[in-house]
Every structure is written in C-alpha cells, then in structure tokens.
Amino acid sequence: MRKGEVFFLVRFRQDLVSAVMKTLAVRGHDEQLGNALSNPGNWHQSISDALPGDAGSRARLRALGARVRAPAFRLDLTRICSRRGSDGAIQWSLRAREEKPKGLLALTELLRVGIQAEGFGPQAGHTAHVTLSYRAPVELVEAVRIVPIVLPVDEFELAECRDRPYRYETIERWPLLPGTDPAHEQPGLFAL
C-alpha cells in the first residue's frame, strides 16, 4: 500500500497483543522474527483493497462506510502460517480456522458492492488473517497450530496509509450491528 491511499480494515485489538507475543515466544518465533515483526499497532484484517485517498474519494467512502449494516462477528485465529508474496518476500500471519467466515464474508461483500457502485473498480476477496511480518527472515516448514486467539469484530474503519513511521491512521470508524456469535471470550490456555 502506498502513502496517501485509503482502505477499509478491522484493527487487531491491542489487548490481545500479549497473547500473540506469548504464542510466538513459546516456540522461539519471536526471536526468529526479531525486527521483522510488524508494529502491533498496524496489525489488521483488510476488508477492502487500496483506494484513492483524494478528498472527493474519501467523502464518498466515508458515506459508504456509514451506510454499511453488517453484524458483528469473531475471527478464531488458530494457526501461524507463512507464504511468499508476489515480490518474493516471506510473510507470516495469524490465520483463522475458516478462510472466509460468514461474518467476514458479509462485511466484505457489502463493502465490495458499495465500492464498485461508487465507481472504484473491482475488489479482490479477503481471507481471514492478520499479517505479523511482511519480510520474515525464514519460511515456516508447516503451519503452526496455536491456542486460538479470538478476535471480536464489532467495528470497522476507513484508514489512510501514512509513513514516518509507517502506520494506518483512522479517518472514520463505524460500529457493526449486534452479532450472533457466541460470547467473545478467550479459550482456556490448554484448549486446542
């Protein structure tokens, strides 16, 4: 994503960062990643592709965000995976049990239809994941099962990509409707 572009996202809750750090430390993955670990303040679930950040586009996207009526949901992040991006860089991410949970599909579909209706062009699909590193030093041999980290999703936002330091700055945030998922509680330490 380039500076000045905007996109819709779900922020990774900062109260869950310590659970991720403990999970990485159990197997020494925190040391493997070292400085390649992304800033936890930037962890997110993308729910749209990059979009133009000019004032007119922002106004239309803010109006679109305000019209979205989708239920809250949760992402059960159950494994750490790695893959090579199109640029050859190794990415590590937390992945959900399902590639596209119903709640995520509902939200991204509403946004996809609205974005295309506003004339911004086609949108790619988005799998359920939170990227931990965009330039990891090594690939994982296989996916690592973890004690599930439950990410409650009860709001989404429009954010701008900024630099120095690289970050996603919130433009506007909207609540989701009450969801039908079970209570958003972290499973016990030994629940696998």
Side-chain angles (χ1 to χ4, degrees), residues 23 27 76-82 92-100 127-130 132 140 142-149 192:
T23 298
R27 293 182 174 93
D76 294 340
L77 303 167
T78 62
R79 56 202 162 104
I80 302 172
C81 299
S82 68
W92 282 26
S93 59
L94 293 169
R95 293 266 169 187
R97 181 174 289 124
E98 301 173 70
E99 285 292 307
K100 296 184 179 184
T127 60
H129 74 283
V130 174
L132 301 174
L140 294 166
E142 61 186 4
V144 177
R145 287 187 62 203
I146 62 172
V147 173
I149 295 170
L192 270 182

Side-chain angles (χ1 to χ4, degrees), residues 51 112 115-123:
L51 299 158
R112 184 191 67 75
I115 289 167
Q116 289 180 194
E118 288 292 333
F120 290 105
Q123 294 284 296

